Amino acid sequence: MIVTANGNNGRNILENPTYPAFFSNTNPLVISVGSVDWDRTRISSSNYLPYKSVFTIGGFVTLQPFFTSPQYGYFSGTSAAAPQVSGLAAVLIKLNSGYKGFSQKEAAIKTVYAITSTASLANNPSYELGYGIINVAKAIEYATSSKD
């Protein structure tokens, strides 16, 4: 499974491909991730894959511990959003002990489905927000209750 940042040019990935995010259009093992602001709207610089991407908050304040004196820095964009989805995927796989009885590929596809099918717009994907904003609680609930 690959979780990839969409990129930060404000473009439609189908019209202006960025890789590897473009592969989520045809490969069920790739999740492309865009970023939204705190008001849950797509950050204008976030690339998007119509009807396919998932989104999460792409801006936050973080401590930069490598400075000689503690300083705070602002980190935003799809590169800030994608690790959140990677973390969710890791939690889902761990909670299901690697989906015993399934091949690694089948387990990865089930994990991708748990994330995309529980996002905010999963029942009606949108052009710019795709499956919508991830829902960690719903994804965990789905993954731990669905054993088929």
Side-chain angles (χ1 to χ4, degrees):
M1 171 183 1
I2 298 171
V3 176
T4 177
N6 279 355
N8 300 300
N9 305 103
R11 298 180 181 161
N12 175 333
I13 294 172
L14 288 178
E15 296 171 359
N16 301 286
T18 56
Y19 296 92
F22 180 80
F23 293 124
S24 71
N25 189 45
T26 58
N27 189 325
L29 295 174
V30 179
I31 301 177
S32 62
V33 182
S35 58
V36 294
D37 220 332
W38 294 104
D39 64 1
R40 302 171 64 94
T41 58
R42 183 177 67 85
I43 293 175
S44 63
S45 63
S46 177
N47 290 353
Y48 59 96
L49 184 59
Y51 309 107
K52 288 285 190 174
S53 297
V54 295
F55 283 75
T56 189
I57 301 297
F60 57 92
V61 177
T62 184
L63 177 64
Q64 303 294 319
F66 49 84
F67 290 112
T68 54
S69 62
Q71 295 182 13
Y72 291 87
Y74 186 72
F75 178 51
S76 66
T78 62
S79 294
Q84 298 172 61
V85 178
S86 295
L88 175 56
V91 167
L92 297 178
I93 289 171
K94 179 63 177 168
L95 285 173
N96 281 299
S97 301
Y99 290 103
K100 290 179 183 167
F102 293 101
S103 71
Q104 288 181 345
K105 181 178 179 179
E106 290 169 329
I109 290 171
K110 285 183 161 299
T111 300
V112 170
Y113 185 76
I115 293 169
T116 58
S117 70
T118 58
S120 63
L121 300 173
N123 293 328
N124 189 22
S126 83
Y127 188 78
E128 284 195 10
L129 288 179
Y131 295 112
I133 300 166
I134 62 168
N135 185 321
V136 174
K138 282 186 178 179
I140 290 171
E141 180 182 349
Y142 174 85
T144 56
S145 65
S146 176
K147 300 298 180 190
D148 54 350

